[in-house]
């Protein structure tokens, strides 16, 4: 009887020690579960603001700002939790799983958008509102139960030695041949929508040509696949803040690229037969804030722009470190590039919300 009592006490003590870690590990998935509700608050507060005046308009503006902060807090929470889990010297299988889920939560703005387009294409336009809570409820249960698995994660998983440099070269080609041009195009939209469209028509002669476009698509798919392999090899090992930032923005971009291809090539070109121009990106006549579906595009685009620039900065940091540059210098470079990403994101998002200089 004494032995059984001692065993129960040890079990209870073990569960008690894991309880705080369980709730911390599961917090990002809970945030993902309520993410659509937060977007609904953004839409409702924007609708309220548009119809209000005087003190009511001030309250509406505060509500809109608070709801937007709450929506962006979900990926921010995921980044914080993943950074904490990554700081463990020898992560357990439960921690590695929770860390992988945190990466998905960081990508929930683009995941939710991707899902919304897919269910529309298959003829179930409200399917995202059904599938999203079911999936994340299951994920929450899996993380909550699995975090107690104290078995050390398999740190022997490695990506082929040639894959990282190949991924870096591919990234440099995509940035030089498309991403930098595309972001510049969106920056011109801050001047006016007409300027954006005029610049777009010129740039498309390059990246939509019969030779460049298929090569660009193939390179994008390589980046997604190679990035997934590199991410899998990294999740079971210790990571600092910038390493975590690199893997999380990489996870976001992998999903974003697939979703963007689906939206442009299948939804816009094949299904609707329309041009994916500025007005397509900006939510059509309704805009990003005046439509309950379109509102999801705001964090989807904002984190997409910031993530691609920040991911490139973290990749450059890795290259600098491999060439003997001091840690502080490499970190500073990555930090400044990430700051540049925020500076570029703001005017692009203002343009997409129909706020222009001209």
């Amino acid at each position: 009887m004494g032995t059984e009592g001692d065993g129960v006490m040890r079990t209870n003590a073990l569960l008690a020690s894991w309880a705080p870690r369980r709730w911390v590990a599961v917090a990002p998935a809970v945030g993902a579960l309520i993410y659509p509700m937060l977007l609904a608050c953004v839409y409702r507060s924007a609708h309220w603001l548009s119809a209000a005046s005087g003190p009511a308009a001030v309250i509406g503006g505060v509500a809109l700002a608070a709801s937007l902060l709450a929506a962006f807090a979900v990926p921010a929470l995921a980044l914080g939790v993943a950074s904490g889990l990554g700081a463990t010297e020898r992560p357990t299988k439960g921690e590695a799983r929770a860390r992988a889920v945190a990466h998905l939560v960081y990508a929930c703005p683009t995941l939710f958008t991707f899902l919304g387009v897919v269910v529309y294409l298959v003829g179930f336009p409200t399917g995202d509102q059904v599938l999203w809570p079911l999936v994340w409820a299951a994920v929450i249960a899996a993380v909550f139960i699995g975090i107690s698995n104290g078995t050390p994660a398999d740190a022997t998983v490695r990506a082929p030695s040639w894959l990282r440099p190949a991924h870096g070269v591919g990234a440099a080609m995509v940035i030089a041949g498309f991403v930098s041009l595309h972001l510049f195009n969106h920056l011109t939209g801050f001047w006016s929508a007409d300027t954006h469209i005029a610049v777009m028509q010129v740039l498309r002669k390059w990246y939509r040509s019969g030779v460049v476009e298929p090569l660009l698509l193939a390179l994008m798919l390589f980046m997604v696949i190679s990035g997934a392999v590199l991410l899998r090899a990294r999740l079971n090992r210790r990571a600092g803040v910038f390493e975590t930032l690199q893997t999380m923005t990489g996870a976001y971009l992998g999903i974003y690229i697939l979703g963007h291809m689906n939206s442009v090539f299948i939804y816009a070109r094949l299904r609707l037969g329309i041009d994916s121009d500025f007005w397509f990106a900006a939510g059509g006549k309704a805009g990003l804030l005046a439509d309950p579906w379109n509102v999801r595009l705001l964090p989807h685009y904002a984190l997409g722009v910031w993530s691609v620039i920040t991911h490139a900065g973290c990749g450059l940091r890795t290259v600098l470190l491999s060439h003997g540059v001091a840690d502080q210098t490499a970190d500073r470079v990555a930090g400044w590039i990430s700051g540049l990403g925020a500076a570029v994101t703001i005017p692009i998002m203002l343009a997409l919300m129909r706020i222009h200089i001209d």
Side-chain angles (χ1 to χ4, degrees):
M1 186 69 180
T3 303
E4 285 185 17
D6 291 341
V8 171
M9 290 178 64
R10 284 196 298 270
T11 301
N12 289 338
L14 179 62
L15 291 175
S17 67
W18 278 107
R21 298 176 71 181
R22 274 195 173 122
W23 286 111
V24 169
V26 84
V30 174
L33 176 67
I34 67 172
Y35 180 72
M37 304 176 201
L38 300 176
L39 291 179
C41 291
V42 173
Y43 165 70
R44 291 187 179 279
S45 57
H47 182 70
W48 179 15
L49 177 61
S50 65
S53 60
V58 176
I59 296 173
V62 172
L64 177 59
S67 56
L68 280 170
L69 285 173
F72 280 100
V74 173
L77 174 63
L79 178 59
V81 170
S83 296
L85 291 170
T88 305
E89 188 64 36
R90 291 193 64 190
T92 65
K93 287 186 176 180
E95 290 169 339
R97 176 187 292 182
R99 194 170 159 206
V101 168
H103 279 67
L104 285 178
V105 174
Y106 176 80
C108 71
T110 195
L111 269 173
F112 191 51
T113 302
F114 193 179
L115 176 63
V117 176
V118 169
V119 296
Y120 178 84
L121 287 172
V122 299
F124 187 20
T126 60
D128 51 349
Q129 304 298 329
V130 176
L131 295 175
W132 187 265
L134 291 176
V135 169
W136 284 107
V139 170
I140 289 169
V143 174
F144 191 80
I145 296 170
I147 194 64
S148 61
N149 187 345
T151 305
D154 184 7
T156 63
V157 178
R158 292 286 188 275
S161 59
W162 57 267
L163 192 59
R164 177 177 288 182
H167 185 84
V169 170
M173 294 172 65
V174 169
I175 291 170
F178 174 70
V179 171
S180 59
L181 301 176
H182 195 58
L183 292 180
F184 169 74
N185 189 184
H186 275 292
L187 281 171
T188 63
F190 188 42
W191 183 262
S192 71
D194 290 340
T195 302
H196 178 283
I197 293 172
V199 173
M200 178 192 70
Q201 290 172 346
V202 174
L203 294 178
R204 279 184 175 180
K205 293 178 180 179
W206 159 251
Y207 59 73
R208 281 204 177 183
S209 66
V211 175
V212 174
E213 186 173 53
L215 290 175
L216 180 61
L217 292 177
L219 194 54
M220 287 284 198
L221 290 175
F222 169 74
M223 297 302 296
V224 172
I225 296 170
S226 60
V229 174
L230 291 169
L231 175 61
R232 180 175 178 272
R234 189 65 190 170
L235 284 177
N236 290 352
R237 303 202 304 275
R238 186 179 184 278
V241 173
F242 281 104
E243 287 84 3
T244 299
L245 196 57
Q246 184 173 13
T247 55
M248 296 201 86
T249 53
Y252 191 99
L253 293 174
I255 298 168
Y256 184 94
I257 289 170
L258 295 177
H260 198 59
M261 287 182 175
N262 177 62
S263 295
V264 170
F265 293 103
I266 298 178
Y267 174 67
R269 292 194 193 180
L270 295 181
R271 181 66 175 270
L272 300 182
I274 62 174
D275 188 16
S276 54
D277 59 5
F278 175 85
W279 299 113
F280 174 79
K285 293 182 179 179
L288 298 184
L289 291 176
D291 181 88
W293 197 100
N294 289 351
V295 70
R296 75 185 70 193
L297 296 174
L298 199 158
H300 163 71
Y301 288 140
L303 272 183
V305 174
W306 183 76
S307 291
V308 72
I309 296 174
T310 297
H311 190 68
C314 292
L316 177 59
R317 172 184 174 274
T318 301
V319 173
L320 293 175
L321 291 174
S322 68
H323 286 79
V325 175
D327 289 3
Q328 285 186 333
T329 301
D331 290 351
R332 193 176 297 114
V333 169
W336 277 106
I337 293 176
S338 181
L340 174 64
V344 171
T345 300
I346 292 171
I348 287 177
M349 294 313 302
L350 289 175
L352 291 174
M353 290 189 289
R354 318 292 175 83
I355 299 172
H356 307 284
I357 295 175
D358 188 7

